[in-house]
């Protein structure tokens, strides 16, 4: 299972690597990223966006301050904008390094960039042998007690050849550990979304004494309940199963058997490691060269993320937590106000001059800069309910966009016709509408030829709800960033 990786960094020249990357032909293995020469001093690269799979796009802004001639006042920085298409990651030391294809190319840089999620320095001396597709996945945290024939042992004490308890057909049997992998994680928690943090399953969350001690796992780790495997992130209720938003540094461990199995961790039934192709990114006790497996053919139990199956289980666990008087640790306050606006990289912000029903009108001057449609954004998994497996960041659902000049009206259809467009999700099936991610490019927006401002009319077919988490004095938008934005038409999401 893979969790989205969010970027929101201003990187100095020695905190990212540029080079070349050529996407492989269809069906071929991912190619190497080849680092280029050191990035010139004075470069600052801003990276904004979230990736969950190959092909996802982030926004890039390069600010380069050229060195002035002797005796000349320092020159202002040159700002260039582009996008980065996610191509895969490689492993450097204990960190994953993410590779993006830059289009259009940025001045003075290669056709690709490589960086870590938290902006840590990455080596430039050599490139990886190949890229891994997808994004990293995760498992048990250090200190988790795993049941074995010798009693419970901390997961970090397990070694290849040890036996562990496995649930098979309702009976406990003993199976041999075939492989153990681990990795350390460090990131800036103020810029991370909930999927980046560990999840705490409190003692007794599932049934009396199960787990018999708080269990910490990563958000994509699956628990075995009612005959199926469910990612724990979909069972978070902020009472008995909570996101540990204060943990931005931890170590996690994978335990693999010859066959995917159901381990007993702190008394709770959870999954062992299933290698779907990412084994090479972990520290390993022993190299294990076996073909990747799949959830469809090799899982110990069916994986389900379907709402109709998960929601009743979520309701049951939430009701149990209430009956146990477990305190609510985070309150989800919702608002329907998108705070829609147009903006440019240079800092110009344009708010609507009128809003009539679903139509938002903006007066836009003629400018030589890309215009972006910005709004709040949130994920249905966090605003509708954790049992909804839609983790896209949704801004507003846009239908038609018109340019009005007097009595003349022209249509802007780029967002409905261009497949890969920065800040836009794919078209909604069977409709002429498309969701933004909260920061969507309106590239090639046709403006007036005679230099006069024009009226841009944007049809918003759906918006919200949007979320912030009230946790003591600190408020978070769904992006995870600190904010002081006010909440309009707010309501508290029932837990």
């Amino acid at each position: 299972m893979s969790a989205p990786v969010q970027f929101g960094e201003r990187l100095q020249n020695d905190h990212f690597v540029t080079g070349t990357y050529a996407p492989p032909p269809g069906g071929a293995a991912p190619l190497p990223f080849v680092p280029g020469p050191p990035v010139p001093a004075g470069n600052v690269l801003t990276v904004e966006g979230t990736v969950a799979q190959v092909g996802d796009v982030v926004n890039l802004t390069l600010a380069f301050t050229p060195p002035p001639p002797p005796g000349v006042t320092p020159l202002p920085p040159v700002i260039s904008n582009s996008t980065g298409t996610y191509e895969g990651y490689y492993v450097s030391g204990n960190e994953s390094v993410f590779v993006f294809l830059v289009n259009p190319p940025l001045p003075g840089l290669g056709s690709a960039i490589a960086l870590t999620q938290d902006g840590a320095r990455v080596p430039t001396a050599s490139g990886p042998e190949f890229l891994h597709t997808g994004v990293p996945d995760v498992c048990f945290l250090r200190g988790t007690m795993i049941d074995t024939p010798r009693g419970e042992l901390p997961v970090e004490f397990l070694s290849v050849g040890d036996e562990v308890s496995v649930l098979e057909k309702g009976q406990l049997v003993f199976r041999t550990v075939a492989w153990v992998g681990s990795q350390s994680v460090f990131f800036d928690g103020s810029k991370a979304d909930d999927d980046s943090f560990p999840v705490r399953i409190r003692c007794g969350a599932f049934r009396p004494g199960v787990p018999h001690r708080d269990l910490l796992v990563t958000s994509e780790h699956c628990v075995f309940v009612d005959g199926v495997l469910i990612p724990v992130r979909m069972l978070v209720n902020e009472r008995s199963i909570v996101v540990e938003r204060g943990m931005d540094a931890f170590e996690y461990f994978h335990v693999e058997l010859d066959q995917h199995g159901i381990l007993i961790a702190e008394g709770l039934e959870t999954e062992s490691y299933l290698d779907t192709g990412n084994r090479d990114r972990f520290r390993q006790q022993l190299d294990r060269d076996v073909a990747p497996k799949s959830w469809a053919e090799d899982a110990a139990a069916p994986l389900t993320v379907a709402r109709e199956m998960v929601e009743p289980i979520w309701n049951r666990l939430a009701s149990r937590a209430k009956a146990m008087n477990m305190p609510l640790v985070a309150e989800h306050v919702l608002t329907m106000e998108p705070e829609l606006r147009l903006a440019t990289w240079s800092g110009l912000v344009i708010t609507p001059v009128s809003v009539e029903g679903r139509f938002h009108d903006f007066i836009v001057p003629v400018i030589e800069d890309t215009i972006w449609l910005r709004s709040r954004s949130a994920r249905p998994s966090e605003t509708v309910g954790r049992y909804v497996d839609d983790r896209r960041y949704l801004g507003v659902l846009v239908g038609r966009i018109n340019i009005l000049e007097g009595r003349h009206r022209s249509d802007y259809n780029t967002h409905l016709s261009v497949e890969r467009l920065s800040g836009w999700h794919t078209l909604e099936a069977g409709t002429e509408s498309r969701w933004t991610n909260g920061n969507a490019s309106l590239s090639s927006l046709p403006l007036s030829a005679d230099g006069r401002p024009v009226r841009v009319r944007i049809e918003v077919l759906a918006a919200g709800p949007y979320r912030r988490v009230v946790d003591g004095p600190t408020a978070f938008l769904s992006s995870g960033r600190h904010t002081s934005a006010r909440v309009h038409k707010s309501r508290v999401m029932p837990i």
Side-chain angles (χ1 to χ4, degrees), residues 34-79:
V34 181
V39 179
N43 278 283
V44 177
L45 181 69
T46 301
V47 185
E48 292 282 347
T50 301
V51 299
Q53 58 188 352
V54 169
D56 285 350
V57 177
V58 296
N59 297 323
L60 304 173
T61 302
L62 179 68
F64 172 62
T65 304
V72 177
T73 303
L75 301 173
V78 177
I79 307 296

Side-chain angles (χ1 to χ4, degrees), residues 128-446:
E129 295 180 359
F130 60 91
L131 297 185
H132 304 280
T133 56
V135 295
D137 62 358
V138 289
C139 207
F140 297 109
L141 266 66
R142 172 179 284 274
T144 298
M145 303 297 288
I146 305 295
D147 194 62
T148 78
R150 297 178 289 163
E152 289 187 322
L153 293 175
V155 65
E156 64 269 23
F157 287 6
L158 294 178
S159 299
V160 173
D162 288 346
E163 286 191 326
V164 293
S165 302
V166 177
L167 184 66
E168 293 183 2
K169 299 180 180 179
Q171 302 294 320
L172 279 182
V173 299
F174 301 131
R175 298 291 181 232
T176 302
V177 174
W179 177 85
V180 176
S182 64
Q183 185 156 7
S184 300
V185 174
F186 307 91
F187 58 93
D188 184 349
S190 69
K191 296 181 173 66
D193 59 28
D194 281 357
D195 289 338
S196 302
F197 297 101
V199 172
R200 181 182 297 274
I201 304 173
R202 295 196 186 282
C203 175
F206 281 77
R207 52 190 186 273
V210 179
H212 53 64
R213 195 175 71 127
D214 283 8
L215 169 62
L216 281 165
V217 294
T218 48
S219 64
E220 285 294 329
H221 193 65
C222 289
V223 295
F224 181 69
V225 55
D226 291 0
V228 296
L229 287 165
I230 301 174
V232 71
R233 61 176 168 80
M234 299 188 70
L235 300 177
V236 168
N237 55 44
E238 302 294 6
R239 291 180 187 270
S240 61
I241 305 176
V242 303
V243 177
E244 283 291 343
R245 297 181 181 89
M247 293 186 66
D248 54 10
F250 51 89
E251 187 177 13
Y252 59 79
F253 293 80
H254 280 301
V255 178
E256 184 181 31
L257 313 175
D258 285 328
Q259 303 294 328
H260 192 228
I262 306 300
L263 302 176
I264 310 300
E266 306 289 1
L268 179 67
E269 299 85 357
T270 67
E271 64 167 326
S272 67
Y273 172 66
L274 181 66
D275 176 23
T276 56
N278 70 339
R279 182 192 307 277
D280 290 342
R281 68 176 300 270
F282 303 107
R283 297 189 299 266
Q284 303 180 41
Q285 289 184 0
L286 178 70
D287 288 340
R288 180 170 162 82
D289 186 16
V290 295
K293 299 180 179 181
S294 73
W295 278 95
E297 297 181 2
D298 301 299
L303 170 70
T304 184
V305 292
R307 178 175 179 174
E308 60 269 21
M309 296 186 67
V310 178
E311 187 174 6
I313 296 171
W314 186 95
N315 286 331
R316 187 174 77 220
L317 296 177
S319 296
R320 173 176 173 79
K322 282 185 179 180
M324 295 174 66
N325 294 319
M326 290 188 173
L328 183 65
V329 299
E331 184 179 23
H332 304 274
V333 180
L334 304 182
T335 175
M336 299 303 294
E337 174 56 57
E339 293 195 352
L340 197 67
R341 60 205 181 275
L342 302 180
T344 69
W345 284 112
S346 59
L348 177 66
V349 177
I350 305 170
T351 56
V353 294
S354 68
V355 178
E356 296 184 7
R358 61 181 185 271
F359 297 104
H360 294 64
D361 284 14
F362 301 83
I363 302 299
V364 181
V366 177
I367 51 178
E368 296 182 1
D369 199 353
T370 301
I371 297 177
W372 299 81
L373 177 61
R374 292 181 176 171
S375 68
R376 283 185 165 122
S377 66
R379 301 193 290 180
S381 61
E382 296 178 348
T383 57
V384 178
R386 296 286 184 166
Y387 41 77
V388 177
D389 191 40
D390 186 349
R391 291 181 289 167
R392 297 175 298 167
Y393 281 94
L394 300 182
V396 292
L397 181 63
V398 177
R400 293 169 292 172
I401 299 178
N402 305 124
I403 311 299
L404 308 176
E405 295 182 83
R407 295 184 178 182
H408 176 72
R409 187 183 80 175
S410 58
D411 297 329
Y412 172 84
N413 295 315
T414 302
H415 68 300
L416 301 178
S417 58
V418 177
E419 181 179 358
R420 281 194 180 185
L421 191 60
S422 181
W424 296 88
H425 295 288
T426 57
L427 280 168
E428 292 295 291
T431 74
E432 289 193 345
S433 62
R434 194 170 182 178
W435 281 99
T436 74
N437 67 1
N439 186 31
S441 170
L442 297 179
S443 62
S444 305
L445 188 69

